[in-house]
Amino acid sequence: MLNTAVREAILRVLPRVNTPAQYTGGEMNSVVKDHRQVRGKLCLCFPDAYTLGMSHHGLQVLYTIMNNDPQWACERAFAPWLDFERQLRQNRLPLYGLETFTPLAEFDVVGFSLQYEVCYSNLLTMIDLGGIPHFAADRRVSDPLVIAGGPGAQNPELLAPFVDLFIIGDGEESLPWVMEKWMSLKEVAIRD
């Protein structure tokens, strides 16, 4: 497994939080891919608790679609409860994808599902904990592309300073397209 140091550090702080199992991954039907064997890495972020995000059908559909393509590794991250957020900050640990404990800042694309306005502040918390520059204007091509979709993307202006791209409508067709275009741009930038 990649990121064993992050995983071990996380496992050391989990006894100090309630419901620690939601932060360990390894659920039935989760997909773990070797990042060295794929073209790009995507983390689907649900800016609410694990229990709500795991029951969201749209997240499951996008996770399956992206992982069915062998060129992409798709992982998941959820907003931590306050006790785990406090442990991450106190121990200077990043928010990570559940499948490989990869910090959010190391993904190529970080996508948020905006289901309702009350979770907008959780998006900002997740960006901060993930080590991603807060403002879209401060990000470079080496940083993750931060995208957002779902019902909350219909009125994107409030989060526009923090999100690079909003997807309006269903993500089943647009998410693979965005991933392809972004990776093509990154590959050109790396070559130059």
Side-chain angles (χ1 to χ4, degrees), residues 95-160:
L95 189 60
Y96 53 90
L98 286 177
E99 285 71 10
T100 62
F101 289 81
T102 299
L104 293 186
E106 294 179 19
F107 284 90
D108 298 301
V109 175
V110 174
F112 288 90
S113 179
L114 302 176
Q115 296 302 305
Y116 26 81
E117 290 82 4
V118 75
C119 70
Y120 286 7
S121 61
N122 290 345
L123 178 146
L124 301 176
T125 299
M126 293 176 78
I127 287 173
D128 182 49
L129 288 172
I132 299 169
H134 298 150
F135 292 98
D138 296 335
R139 294 187 199 119
R140 301 176 314 256
V141 73
S142 58
D143 293 314
L145 180 72
V146 176
I147 64 175
Q154 301 296 323
N155 186 10
E157 194 56 36
L158 186 61
L159 290 175

Side-chain angles (χ1 to χ4, degrees), residues 23-91:
Y23 306 116
T24 60
E27 306 93 336
M28 183 182 298
N29 298 320
S30 62
V31 179
V32 180
K33 292 186 179 182
D34 184 340
H35 291 184
R36 297 166 294 197
Q37 303 298 319
V38 297
R39 182 174 171 212
K41 306 173 302 285
L42 162 70
C43 190
L44 296 175
C45 296
F46 198 86
D48 208 329
Y50 173 90
T51 50
L52 293 173
M54 281 302 292
S55 65
H56 186 263
H57 182 66
L59 182 74
Q60 301 298 332
V61 168
L62 294 175
Y63 181 78
T64 300
I65 288 171
M66 296 307 290
N67 275 316
N68 281 344
D69 189 329
Q71 66 180 331
W72 312 131
C74 183
E75 300 193 16
R76 301 158 297 138
F78 301 90
W81 285 102
L82 293 175
D83 58 348
F84 189 50
E85 177 185 349
R86 186 170 31 258
Q87 289 300 318
L88 291 175
R89 291 188 190 284
Q90 286 176 355
N91 291 281

